[in-house]
Amino acid sequence: MAEVLVLVEHADGELRKTSAELLTAARALGEPSAVVVGEPGVTERALVALGEAGASKVYAAEVDGADAVLSSAALDALTKLVAEKSPSAVLLAHTADGKDIAGRLAVRLEAGLLTDVVELSAEGARQAVFAGSVFVDAKVRTPLAVYTLRPGVVEPEPQQSSPSREDITIAAPNGARVVERVVEPRGARPELTEASVVVSGGRGVGSADNFALVEELADVLGGAVGASRAATDGGMYSHQFQVGQTGKTVSPQLYIACGISGAIQHRSGMQTARTIVVINKDADAPLFEIADFGIVGDLFTVLPQAIAALKARQN
Amino acid sequence: MNIVVLVKQVPDSGAERQLTADGTIDRENATRVINEMDEYAIEEGLRLADTTGGEVTLVTMGPDEATESIRKALSMGAHKALHVLDPALHGSCALATSRVLAQALQTINPDIIICGAESTDGRVGALPAMLAERLNITALTGARKLTVEDGSATIERQLDDGYQVVQGSLPAIVSVWDTINEPRYPSFRGIMQAKSKPVTTLSLADLNVDPSTVGSAGASTEVVQHAPRPPRQAGVKIVDEGDAGDKLVEFLLAEKLV
């Protein structure tokens, strides 16, 4: 079976959720080998989780300064591994780093690149374009394919394996330097693009203070908080939580839209959610068209009632 | 400072968009606009030109109609434009697009290239990095803030959970998100001046690019088929009669979502 290289994403050896998604998706193409790039010692910390996620092999590319320079170490490691192992594909996450590395690798190896893929199969890749309104099935014509996978679209299916570890040597990183890394507070909530539940607020929420209600529902569901562009542009919520064409694309199991009318730009960021709930006073809000459960009503009465019911259940 | 801003004309994402039979984007029948993120790139380029006394050259690749977007961008204040125009480019993949744009950029030799982080039509999102690789220059991608001084550029690189401060030497390509600034509107004077600003057109022959390596025929990827997303199954829609919050929780329970 063909080998598929998967660039895993991790924070100091702790796998991000996208890594298990990538290893699961890669099985449709062949035998997934995990590529771990980072500071010395990092692979050891990731090995158990990689075995649980189903990596057949683990390539360790450890070098001083790997985290301090953008893309360089990963690009070097993948370039080297492609030359040595002749995989059929390289799979990365469609994230800030994944996009950069994929693009550079494709150019370096003149390999066809398909990004923001929502489904992978032996035949090729499916992409959801135009705000998710059109599915495109595409394939790569070059011997090596490079894909980036949209986070959240694949449900990880753990598959216990005992991967062998192979260390590869890469050059000292070189390029744009990461001077500082700042994690912005989001409380105890999960990261928006990784959350299985997202509760979003729009213009109808009305004010920054009122967003507390959206946050409360998110918290009781263990979810993340999102916002429409109208809400972020209106100063009600921070831009970093914007869901939509110019913000984040999310694919949670459950998306609850509160007071969001559903401009196509917003739909573009949430249309691949498994289940969509829409709460809006305006019965004609376009987002109702894609709702699995729509409530025409005032979010200021519906949300508190739902929160109370959920809390009562939890007790 | 020699500043280049990449501009792409796209179908308006707020209007009806479709693919043609050959799987390429229908640009002819679309409402055509400047890619939204590119307006922020233009604004950032103009601000940089103001502070460093530089000039902004727009670079675009696209069909004849792309001149509409060039004029709009010139009316915002950019100084001149370069339009890569060749019928053979129709259907080009990201690899070929980056190859052609890199050739065009080499004729200008910019200190800094600013572009949108992604286009609203193709949404590949990797072109800035691809150009950095082709041109062997610094890649500073996904900026929400840019500072340029002493031959280097520093950005706040927007991430899912915060940001990184990333620094690199010029020449560099910087891609920007819409969090970086507030683009200006063209002034009446700007619109009038734009009509006489120089726009150079370059063909593939001018750039020494073999036409067989670009376009649909030379593409490294191909669209096998495309179809409208199947409509979501009609859901339940209720009007709140005082119990919608409870009904919502019942729905979530029935769907095993809580």
Side-chain angles (χ1 to χ4, degrees):
Chain A
M1 203 151 62
E3 185 172 7
V4 178
L5 298 180
V6 171
L7 181 68
V8 299
E9 298 208 318
H10 64 89
D12 213 17
E14 191 186 329
L15 293 193
R16 291 190 199 282
K17 197 176 162 206
T18 49
S19 297
E21 295 169 5
L22 292 169
L23 286 165
T24 300
R27 282 178 221 150
L29 307 174
E31 193 105 33
S33 298
V35 181
V36 183
V37 180
E39 302 285 336
V42 78
T43 311
E44 194 56 41
R45 293 194 283 280
L47 268 183
V48 172
L50 287 170
E52 285 166 2
S56 304
K57 275 188 199 163
V58 172
Y59 296 115
E62 300 181 345
V63 65
D64 279 316
D67 294 345
V69 179
L70 229 47
S71 305
S72 171
L75 193 55
D76 204 16
L78 290 173
T79 307
K80 204 164 177 180
L81 281 168
V82 168
E84 283 177 16
K85 313 289 177 188
S86 309
S88 62
V90 181
L91 185 56
L92 306 91
H94 195 70
T95 55
D97 289 336
K99 282 186 280 189
D100 279 8
I101 297 161
R104 301 189 76 132
L105 189 72
V107 162
R108 197 172 278 195
L109 304 171
E110 285 291 323
L113 169 69
L114 292 171
T115 63
D116 203 14
V117 168
V118 297
E119 198 181 323
L120 272 175
S121 69
E123 286 75 46
R126 170 164 283 192
Q127 296 164 302
V129 305
F130 294 161
S133 63
V134 176
F135 278 134
V136 170
D137 292 325
K139 65 178 188 189
V140 167
R141 287 174 173 162
T142 53
L144 176 73
V146 180
Y147 301 110
T148 65
L149 184 73
R150 181 183 293 188
V153 292
V154 171
E155 188 64 25
E157 291 165 22
Q159 198 176 81
Q160 189 62 49
S161 61
S162 343
S164 58
R165 172 180 171 156
E166 188 179 325
D167 284 67
I168 57 161
T169 314
I170 53 171
N174 171 32
R177 283 172 299 111
V178 179
V179 181
E180 195 187 349
R181 174 98 163 77
V182 180
V183 175
E184 289 181 329
R186 56 163 196 271
R189 293 189 193 107
E191 208 285 302
L192 189 51
T193 52
E194 292 187 353
S196 44
V197 176
V198 174
V199 184
S200 281
R203 195 189 304 272
V205 175
S207 74
D209 288 344
N210 290 348
F211 250 85
L213 199 54
V214 177
E215 290 180 333
E216 196 180 351
L217 181 59
D219 289 343
V220 75
L221 291 167
V225 176
S228 72
R229 182 153 188 184
T232 57
D233 279 358
M236 289 181 229
Y237 218 65
S238 165
H239 260 290
Q240 76 179 105
F241 299 106
Q242 187 194 316
V243 172
Q245 182 128 266
T246 59
K248 298 203 169 132
T249 302
V250 298
S251 292
Q253 297 295 310
L254 172 62
Y255 189 88
I256 303 182
C258 310
I260 298 175
S261 63
I264 189 147
Q265 286 88 346
H266 186 74
R267 287 190 190 199
S268 147
M270 45 67 76
Q271 191 139 245
T272 47
R274 190 72 52 86
T275 301
I276 297 173
V277 172
V278 174
I279 303 164
N280 205 306
K281 269 200 291 201
D282 175 8
D284 297 324
L287 205 58
F288 278 122
E289 290 164 19
I290 60 165
D292 298 288
F293 192 74
I295 297 173
V296 182
D298 186 346
L299 66 98
F300 298 105
T301 57
V302 175
L303 293 196
Q305 189 177 63
I307 291 164
L310 288 165
K311 281 187 176 163
R313 248 196 103 255
Q314 285 170 357
N315 292 332
Chain B
M1 181 170 276
N2 189 357
I3 302 161
V4 162
V5 176
L6 299 181
V7 174
K8 184 183 188 187
Q9 187 181 55
V10 298
D12 187 348
S13 60
E16 186 78 14
R17 293 180 291 179
Q18 41 197 353
L19 295 174
T20 59
D22 69 356
T24 59
I25 290 164
D26 184 352
R27 300 185 186 280
E28 212 172 307
N29 298 306
T31 312
R32 297 179 292 266
V33 295
I34 293 181
N35 176 46
E36 185 183 352
M37 224 77 74
D38 298 354
E39 296 193 18
Y40 298 81
I42 296 163
E43 177 64 35
E44 203 60 22
L46 293 174
R47 290 185 189 189
L48 193 57
D50 283 346
T51 52
T52 62
E55 256 198 351
V56 174
T57 307
L58 305 167
V59 173
T60 200
M61 169 177 141
D64 278 324
E65 299 84 54
T67 41
E68 304 156 358
S69 291
I70 292 174
R71 288 297 166 198
K72 161 113 196 267
L74 287 171
S75 70
M76 285 173 72
H79 301 82
K80 55 190 190 215
L82 192 161
H83 184 179
V84 182
L85 173 68
D86 199 301
L89 287 167
H90 175 78
S92 290
C93 65
L95 267 187
T97 301
S98 68
R99 197 181 308 125
V100 172
L101 280 176
Q103 287 289 102
L105 288 164
Q106 268 163 350
T107 67
I108 303 174
N109 207 19
D111 298 303
I112 191 165
I113 302 162
I114 306 178
C115 59
E118 65 180 26
S119 63
T120 55
D121 57 349
R123 287 198 83 185
V124 174
L127 203 81
M130 295 173 98
L131 287 172
E133 184 70 23
R134 296 238 183 247
L135 298 166
N136 194 23
I137 60 175
T138 306
L140 297 169
T141 52
R144 63 176 204 182
K145 189 179 174 197
L146 168 67
T147 324
V148 178
E149 54 190 4
D150 302 332
S152 83
T154 306
I155 63 161
E156 281 184 14
R157 182 172 186 252
Q158 195 167 303
L159 300 175
D160 284 338
D161 60 356
Y163 66 94
Q164 288 169 323
V165 179
V166 185
Q167 191 173 51
S169 52
L170 299 181
I173 181 162
V174 179
S175 68
V176 305
W177 289 112
D178 57 350
T179 37
I180 197 163
N181 58 39
E182 199 50 60
R184 69 194 66 184
Y185 289 102
S187 65
F188 180 70
R189 192 161 154 261
I191 294 167
M192 296 312 289
Q193 284 175 339
K195 291 178 179 164
S196 55
K197 286 179 176 170
V199 178
T200 310
T201 302
L202 291 179
S203 67
L204 287 174
D206 295 329
L207 293 171
N208 283 319
V209 173
D210 176 356
S212 72
T213 62
V214 302
S216 300
S220 59
T221 55
E222 69 179 287
V223 172
V224 181
Q225 57 178 0
H226 60 87
R229 181 196 179 88
R232 294 184 80 101
Q233 282 198 327
V236 180
K237 188 175 174 187
I238 62 166
V239 176
D240 184 19
E241 287 168 347
D243 60 353
D246 292 328
K247 289 255 174 69
L248 169 58
V249 175
E250 280 166 30
F251 170 79
L252 297 179
L253 284 167
E255 297 288 317
K256 299 192 167 55
L257 289 162
V258 287

